Amino acid sequence: TLEVSKRMKEVTVGKDLGKVFGIKIIYFDLNKSNIRKDAALELAKIVEVMKENPSIKVDVRSHTDSRQSSEYNEELSDKRAKATVAWMVKKGISADRLTAKGYGESQLVNKCSDGVECSEEEHQANRRSEFIVIEM
C-alpha cells in the first residue's frame, strides 16, 4: 500500500496511478503534444506519488482520438508520451523509472472511431495519458 496525503491506497503492478489516487485524467489538445496547464496540475500529483514511493516505475501510455490517419496518430501519441515523461523528469522523477509508449487511436474509451460522428468532448476523452505501474 502507498500513502498519499495520509490516505492508504492499494497499488499493484498493472494499475493506473491516476485512477488509484483519483487524479484527473491528463488530456491533450487536438493535434498537440504539449502539457496543458490543467494537465500540469494533475501531472504534479502523479509526480508527488512517485516521489513519495521511490520504488514505483511507471509506463506512460498516451493516446489520440480517431481523427487523422492511424500513422499520424501513432506518431502524435508517441510525442505525447515523450512530452509527459520529459515533464516528469524535469520535475524530479528519474528517467530510469519511466517508460513511454504511444498507442495512437488503438485504445479508444468510447464509440468515436473512424467515421463515427462525435462531439468535441467525446473526442477529448480519447486524447489522454495513463500511468501504468510496471514495477514496485
Side-chain angles (χ1 to χ4, degrees), residues 36-103:
R36 300 182 339 190
K37 287 183 181 179
D38 63 328
L41 294 172
E42 300 306 315
L43 195 48
K45 296 174 186 175
I46 298 285
V47 167
E48 190 58 35
V49 169
M50 292 188 72
K51 284 181 176 179
E52 291 177 8
N53 301 279
S55 64
I56 290 180
K57 291 186 180 182
V58 168
D59 184 32
V60 176
R61 299 178 183 177
S62 294
H63 308 272
T64 66
D65 61 33
S66 63
R67 294 178 284 186
Q68 302 289 345
S69 69
S70 59
E71 295 81 17
Y72 175 89
N73 285 332
E74 289 280 331
E75 191 174 307
L76 178 59
S77 63
D78 190 56
K79 288 178 184 176
R80 289 176 174 172
K82 289 176 178 169
T84 302
V85 165
W87 192 97
M88 294 173 75
V89 168
K90 188 176 175 183
K91 298 297 180 187
I93 301 300
S94 176
D96 66 359
R97 296 178 61 201
L98 299 164
T99 57
K101 180 166 174 40
Y103 288 85

Side-chain angles (χ1 to χ4, degrees), residues 65-66 107-113 116 118-128:
D65 61 33
S66 63
Q107 296 182 11
L108 301 174
V109 296
N110 56 30
K111 64 178 174 55
C112 299
S113 59
V116 175
C118 290
S119 68
E120 180 54 34
E121 292 78 23
E122 289 171 312
H123 282 301
Q124 171 71 96
N126 290 308
R127 298 190 308 261
R128 69 203 189 278

